[in-house]
Amino acid sequence: MYLIEELAHDFTQAFDLSNLHRALQRASRCMGFDHFALNFDLHRHGASPDGVLLHDYPDAWAQVYVAFDLAGRDPVRRACDKSLTGFAWRDLPRLIPMTKGDRQMLAIGREVGLADGYTIGRHLPGESSGSCSFVMRAERSLPQGMLMVAELIGAIALAAARRLTVGPTTPPQVQFTDRQRECVLWAARGKTAYETSIILGISEETVIQHLKMARERSALHSRHELTTFALLCGFIGYQDIFPWWWRAGRRSG
């Protein structure tokens, strides 16, 4: 517990990316890892397409990774969307389908000294995503007794990266009325304007107008864009849609 508190303090005191880099490097060594890497990307208009990438990987790997733009094909990043907790790289085939390119990437990483790692991912739909990895050289194994510490420190490091890049959170500039939100929700659940009108007890034309006004407020042109926008901005939640789809599918089956 003392180690976690000590390392966490470094991240709360990180006021720029250089401080964050030093805190990550110290944390990785204190936990018994050889390297670290943290990436944090913003998914909103006007955000830097490069995002934040901090690491102390071998130069040979860093040059290949950047030169060939491997971030978009990184299986470790993909696996972050499939796990609620941190995961070892050796467990990647259990989390995602592995392509030939994925295996080649991992093999090249091992050749330059990145044998296995433990990665913690975070994803905020509509805003940002990131991962923090602590990595071992080929001749060393993951420090099993430190993985829970790595889990907490990785989450704290990603929160620090978000604080340094996003700043204070603000409510979305676009606002829906309660009735507009209800119409968008039923549209996201796959209901037509007519079906929504029956459910809400209003006319079909009124439903059409509510959806039209919601699109105009959002500067969008289609129902699909509108429902995606509403999900990403938090007007409706994934839990409002996917469990309903599952239950509806069982009823129809």
Side-chain angles (χ1 to χ4, degrees):
M1 182 62 72
Y2 176 76
L3 177 62
I4 294 173
E5 292 177 351
E6 182 181 355
L7 296 177
H9 180 266
D10 290 346
F11 291 102
T12 61
Q13 298 301 308
F15 297 113
D16 58 35
L17 294 179
S18 295
N19 294 151
L20 182 56
H21 188 284
R22 285 193 291 271
L24 281 162
Q25 194 162 51
R26 177 171 182 262
S28 66
R29 302 305 184 267
C30 287
M31 293 185 292
F33 293 91
D34 298 314
H35 299 288
F36 75 86
L38 179 145
N39 72 274
F40 188 81
D41 298 315
L42 295 178
H43 303 157
R44 62 189 189 187
H45 180 70
S48 168
D50 298 326
V52 173
L53 178 60
L54 304 174
H55 67 86
D56 64 352
Y57 280 179
D59 288 340
W61 176 245
Q63 292 171 5
V64 170
Y65 197 87
V66 174
F68 290 92
D69 191 24
L70 298 182
R73 290 174 278 169
D74 191 338
V76 174
R77 290 198 183 191
R78 292 207 319 275
C80 287
D81 293 334
K82 302 298 292 182
S83 179
L84 291 174
T85 62
F87 55 88
W89 293 358
R90 66 171 73 99
D91 294 329
L92 285 172
R94 180 175 56 82
L95 295 170
I96 59 172
M98 295 289 288
T99 67
K100 181 180 179 181
D102 293 337
R103 294 186 179 89
Q104 288 176 337
M105 180 182 294
L106 294 174
I108 294 172
R110 286 191 292 270
E111 288 177 4
V112 299
L114 305 174
D116 197 6
Y118 189 78
T119 295
I120 303 92
R122 288 293 184 272
H123 180 56
L124 289 175
E127 187 208 83
S128 57
S129 62
S131 65
C132 182
S133 297
F134 298 105
V135 186
M136 306 304 294
R137 296 193 300 267
E139 66 274 15
R140 287 169 29 90
S141 301
L142 291 176
Q144 295 297 320
M146 281 289 173
L147 296 188
M148 289 305 297
V149 177
E151 182 92 29
L152 294 172
I153 294 304
I156 293 170
L158 287 166
R162 181 174 184 266
R163 170 173 54 82
L164 293 173
T165 54
V166 176
T169 57
T170 57
Q173 295 181 346
V174 175
Q175 294 294 330
F176 292 163
T177 66
D178 290 346
R179 191 58 100 183
Q180 287 168 359
R181 179 193 171 279
E182 288 178 321
C183 292
V184 172
L185 172 59
W186 286 106
R189 288 174 169 176
K191 296 299 182 182
T192 65
Y194 173 74
E195 291 169 328
T196 300
S197 72
I198 300 300
I199 294 168
L200 299 180
I202 57 180
S203 71
E204 181 179 3
E205 182 59 32
T206 300
V207 172
I208 293 171
Q209 285 302 313
H210 281 312
L211 292 172
K212 180 176 182 291
M213 292 177 66
R215 288 197 306 271
E216 290 175 350
R217 288 188 176 194
S218 311
L220 300 171
H221 304 290
S222 72
R223 187 171 99 166
H224 296 302
E225 289 178 326
L226 180 61
T227 55
T228 301
F229 175 84
L231 272 170
L232 296 179
C233 289
F235 291 115
I236 58 177
Y238 291 91
Q239 69 276 10
D240 296 325
I241 298 174
F242 296 118
W244 189 91
W245 279 352
W246 182 77
R247 291 192 298 268
R250 291 193 66 181
R251 288 194 298 268
S252 63

